[in-house]
Structure formats: C-alpha cells, structure tokens
Amino acid sequence: MLTERTGLIVWVSDIKAAARHMEKYGSVHFISKRLHYVAMYVYADRLEETMKQLQRLPYVKKVERSYRNEIKTEYSSNIPDKTRFYTL
C-alpha cells in the first residue's frame, strides 16, 4: 500500500549544505542551483513536524507547502467539440 506524500519547496541560502542534509527529511526530487530551492516529498502524516525541523536549519530561508495534490484534475467540458469543422 502506498503512503500519502506531500511536496515541499524549501528556499535555501546554501545549496551545498542543502544537498548534503535534505535527504534525511524526505525524498529530494530537484535542487535548483540558480534559484536556490529544493523540491522534495515528505510523508503527509509527518508534514508539520518536518516543516518545523526544516525551518530550524540555519541555511533554510522559507518552507512552502505544495498544493499540487489539491488541484482539480478532472475537467468537464460544456463547450461542443469543434474539431469536426476542421477536418478535410
């Protein structure tokens, strides 16, 4: 059974320190050297305590929660399909 995970965006001042230490808090998905942020996934049931632990690190500026799993991805279209007018 899969465990529910939530994404976090962690804004950092020191990329090297973040690259070394972020793996123990969750799964690191991406590290941006140019924009100085780390995209990572953590377990949803430990989200609040992980965010507090990350905020205490000296090289962390800000921790933001990702709302990607709350965005509606099922769309309903009430507009008629116009592709039949463009066929040859």
Side-chain angles (χ1 to χ4, degrees), residues 4 7 25 27 29 31 35 38-39 41 50-51 66 71 73 76 80 86 88:
E4 185 73 24
Y25 296 103
S27 306
H29 180 70
I31 298 175
L35 297 176
V38 177
Y41 289 99
T50 305
M51 286 179 70
S66 173
I71 295 174
T73 56
S76 62
Y86 300 115
L88 296 173

mmCIF file of all heavy atoms in Angstrom, residues 4 7 25 27 29 31 35 38-39 41 50-51 66 71 73 76 80 86 88:
data_model
loop_
_atom_site.group_PDB
_atom_site.id
_atom_site.type_symbol
_atom_site.label_atom_id
_atom_site.label_comp_id
_atom_site.label_asym_id
_atom_site.label_seq_id
_atom_site.Cartn_x
_atom_site.Cartn_y
_atom_site.Cartn_z
ATOM 1 N N GLU A 4 0.684 8.231 1.616
ATOM 2 C CA GLU A 4 0.398 9.574 1.095
ATOM 3 C C GLU A 4 1.588 10.482 1.330
ATOM 4 O O GLU A 4 2.119 10.553 2.430
ATOM 5 C CB GLU A 4 -0.833 10.139 1.799
ATOM 6 C CG GLU A 4 -1.304 11.463 1.263
ATOM 7 C CD GLU A 4 -1.968 11.357 -0.082
ATOM 8 O OE1 GLU A 4 -2.486 10.274 -0.420
ATOM 9 O OE2 GLU A 4 -1.958 12.351 -0.803
ATOM 10 N N GLY A 7 4.327 17.424 -1.284
ATOM 11 C CA GLY A 7 5.508 18.121 -1.777
ATOM 12 C C GLY A 7 5.814 19.360 -0.959
ATOM 13 O O GLY A 7 4.919 20.030 -0.444
ATOM 14 N N TYR A 25 15.305 14.188 5.575
ATOM 15 C CA TYR A 25 13.965 14.676 5.908
ATOM 16 C C TYR A 25 12.897 14.167 4.945
ATOM 17 O O TYR A 25 11.720 14.228 5.249
ATOM 18 C CB TYR A 25 13.946 16.202 5.916
ATOM 19 C CG TYR A 25 14.830 16.777 6.995
ATOM 20 C CD1 TYR A 25 16.071 17.315 6.687
ATOM 21 C CD2 TYR A 25 14.435 16.762 8.324
ATOM 22 C CE1 TYR A 25 16.890 17.832 7.677
ATOM 23 C CE2 TYR A 25 15.244 17.268 9.318
ATOM 24 C CZ TYR A 25 16.474 17.798 8.990
ATOM 25 O OH TYR A 25 17.284 18.295 9.976
ATOM 26 N N SER A 27 12.286 12.649 0.442
ATOM 27 C CA SER A 27 12.836 12.342 -0.875
ATOM 28 C C SER A 27 13.081 13.636 -1.635
ATOM 29 O O SER A 27 12.140 14.377 -1.928
ATOM 30 C CB SER A 27 11.868 11.484 -1.678
ATOM 31 O OG SER A 27 11.511 10.354 -0.960
ATOM 32 N N HIS A 29 13.535 15.665 -4.805
ATOM 33 C CA HIS A 29 13.152 15.496 -6.199
ATOM 34 C C HIS A 29 14.017 16.347 -7.117
ATOM 35 O O HIS A 29 14.448 15.890 -8.171
ATOM 36 C CB HIS A 29 11.674 15.848 -6.364
ATOM 37 C CG HIS A 29 11.180 15.700 -7.764
ATOM 38 N ND1 HIS A 29 11.034 14.473 -8.359
ATOM 39 C CD2 HIS A 29 10.824 16.612 -8.687
ATOM 40 C CE1 HIS A 29 10.606 14.646 -9.596
ATOM 41 N NE2 HIS A 29 10.471 15.925 -9.818
ATOM 42 N N ILE A 31 16.926 19.947 -7.142
ATOM 43 C CA ILE A 31 17.655 21.039 -6.499
ATOM 44 C C ILE A 31 18.006 22.060 -7.566
ATOM 45 O O ILE A 31 18.685 21.729 -8.534
ATOM 46 C CB ILE A 31 18.937 20.530 -5.808
ATOM 47 C CG1 ILE A 31 18.606 19.544 -4.700
ATOM 48 C CG2 ILE A 31 19.729 21.708 -5.251
ATOM 49 C CD1 ILE A 31 19.821 18.913 -4.050
ATOM 50 N N LEU A 35 18.141 29.155 -8.711
ATOM 51 C CA LEU A 35 17.107 29.824 -7.924
ATOM 52 C C LEU A 35 17.170 29.489 -6.442
ATOM 53 O O LEU A 35 16.376 30.001 -5.660
ATOM 54 C CB LEU A 35 15.723 29.478 -8.472
ATOM 55 C CG LEU A 35 15.465 29.952 -9.896
ATOM 56 C CD1 LEU A 35 14.106 29.469 -10.379
ATOM 57 C CD2 LEU A 35 15.553 31.458 -9.977
ATOM 58 N N VAL A 38 14.903 23.704 -3.112
ATOM 59 C CA VAL A 38 14.883 22.248 -3.156
ATOM 60 C C VAL A 38 13.426 21.812 -3.201
ATOM 61 O O VAL A 38 12.628 22.229 -2.360
ATOM 62 C CB VAL A 38 15.569 21.643 -1.911
ATOM 63 C CG1 VAL A 38 15.479 20.128 -1.923
ATOM 64 C CG2 VAL A 38 17.014 22.104 -1.803
ATOM 65 N N ALA A 39 13.069 20.996 -4.180
ATOM 66 C CA ALA A 39 11.737 20.402 -4.260
ATOM 67 C C ALA A 39 11.850 18.989 -3.708
ATOM 68 O O ALA A 39 12.687 18.207 -4.159
ATOM 69 C CB ALA A 39 11.242 20.375 -5.696
ATOM 70 N N TYR A 41 9.669 15.582 -1.392
ATOM 71 C CA TYR A 41 8.446 14.957 -0.932
ATOM 72 C C TYR A 41 8.657 14.401 0.471
ATOM 73 O O TYR A 41 9.699 13.808 0.761
ATOM 74 C CB TYR A 41 8.025 13.815 -1.863
ATOM 75 C CG TYR A 41 7.532 14.295 -3.194
ATOM 76 C CD1 TYR A 41 8.355 14.297 -4.305
ATOM 77 C CD2 TYR A 41 6.243 14.769 -3.335
ATOM 78 C CE1 TYR A 41 7.909 14.744 -5.531
ATOM 79 C CE2 TYR A 41 5.776 15.222 -4.553
ATOM 80 C CZ TYR A 41 6.621 15.209 -5.650
ATOM 81 O OH TYR A 41 6.165 15.660 -6.854
ATOM 82 N N THR A 50 8.029 17.926 10.169
ATOM 83 C CA THR A 50 9.137 18.043 9.218
ATOM 84 C C THR A 50 9.344 19.500 8.815
ATOM 85 O O THR A 50 10.491 19.960 8.704
ATOM 86 C CB THR A 50 8.866 17.182 7.975
ATOM 87 O OG1 THR A 50 8.608 15.833 8.383
ATOM 88 C CG2 THR A 50 10.047 17.196 7.034
ATOM 89 N N MET A 51 8.258 20.241 8.630
ATOM 90 C CA MET A 51 8.379 21.661 8.281
ATOM 91 C C MET A 51 9.044 22.440 9.415
ATOM 92 O O MET A 51 9.891 23.309 9.163
ATOM 93 C CB MET A 51 7.005 22.249 7.954
ATOM 94 C CG MET A 51 6.468 21.808 6.614
ATOM 95 S SD MET A 51 4.843 22.464 6.235
ATOM 96 C CE MET A 51 5.202 24.170 5.967
ATOM 97 N N SER A 66 3.416 22.423 -1.091
ATOM 98 C CA SER A 66 2.901 22.319 -2.450
ATOM 99 C C SER A 66 1.422 21.939 -2.397
ATOM 100 O O SER A 66 1.034 21.035 -1.668
ATOM 101 C CB SER A 66 3.674 21.259 -3.228
ATOM 102 O OG SER A 66 3.085 21.050 -4.479
ATOM 103 N N ILE A 71 -5.288 20.365 -6.400
ATOM 104 C CA ILE A 71 -5.800 20.976 -7.624
ATOM 105 C C ILE A 71 -6.688 19.974 -8.351
ATOM 106 O O ILE A 71 -6.329 18.801 -8.491
ATOM 107 C CB ILE A 71 -4.638 21.428 -8.529
ATOM 108 C CG1 ILE A 71 -3.858 22.523 -7.834
ATOM 109 C CG2 ILE A 71 -5.155 21.906 -9.874
ATOM 110 C CD1 ILE A 71 -2.615 22.948 -8.568
ATOM 111 N N THR A 73 -8.094 17.899 -11.176
ATOM 112 C CA THR A 73 -7.522 17.437 -12.442
ATOM 113 C C THR A 73 -8.545 16.757 -13.342
ATOM 114 O O THR A 73 -8.191 16.311 -14.422
ATOM 115 C CB THR A 73 -6.371 16.445 -12.182
ATOM 116 O OG1 THR A 73 -6.860 15.379 -11.392
ATOM 117 C CG2 THR A 73 -5.217 17.132 -11.488
ATOM 118 N N SER A 76 -14.586 18.938 -16.956
ATOM 119 C CA SER A 76 -15.801 18.668 -17.711
ATOM 120 C C SER A 76 -15.995 19.831 -18.681
ATOM 121 O O SER A 76 -15.868 20.991 -18.329
ATOM 122 C CB SER A 76 -17.008 18.550 -16.787
ATOM 123 O OG SER A 76 -17.221 19.767 -16.114
ATOM 124 N N PRO A 80 -19.161 22.548 -27.061
ATOM 125 C CA PRO A 80 -19.158 21.480 -28.070
ATOM 126 C C PRO A 80 -17.793 21.364 -28.749
ATOM 127 O O PRO A 80 -17.061 22.340 -28.882
ATOM 128 C CB PRO A 80 -20.237 21.915 -29.060
ATOM 129 C CG PRO A 80 -20.450 23.355 -28.812
ATOM 130 C CD PRO A 80 -20.062 23.621 -27.388
ATOM 131 N N TYR A 86 -12.867 21.214 -38.675
ATOM 132 C CA TYR A 86 -11.540 21.434 -39.241
ATOM 133 C C TYR A 86 -10.998 20.234 -40.010
ATOM 134 O O TYR A 86 -9.872 20.256 -40.450
ATOM 135 C CB TYR A 86 -10.562 21.796 -38.121
ATOM 136 C CG TYR A 86 -10.963 23.045 -37.382
ATOM 137 C CD1 TYR A 86 -11.328 22.999 -36.046
ATOM 138 C CD2 TYR A 86 -11.016 24.275 -38.027
ATOM 139 C CE1 TYR A 86 -11.713 24.135 -35.360
ATOM 140 C CE2 TYR A 86 -11.410 25.418 -37.366
ATOM 141 C CZ TYR A 86 -11.745 25.334 -36.035
ATOM 142 O OH TYR A 86 -12.116 26.464 -35.353
ATOM 143 N N LEU A 88 -10.618 17.565 -43.163
ATOM 144 C CA LEU A 88 -10.638 17.718 -44.633
ATOM 145 C C LEU A 88 -11.575 16.771 -45.284
ATOM 146 O O LEU A 88 -11.889 15.748 -44.933
ATOM 147 C CB LEU A 88 -9.225 17.522 -45.187
ATOM 148 C CG LEU A 88 -8.223 18.562 -44.716
ATOM 149 C CD1 LEU A 88 -6.837 18.179 -45.190
ATOM 150 C CD2 LEU A 88 -8.586 19.937 -45.248
#
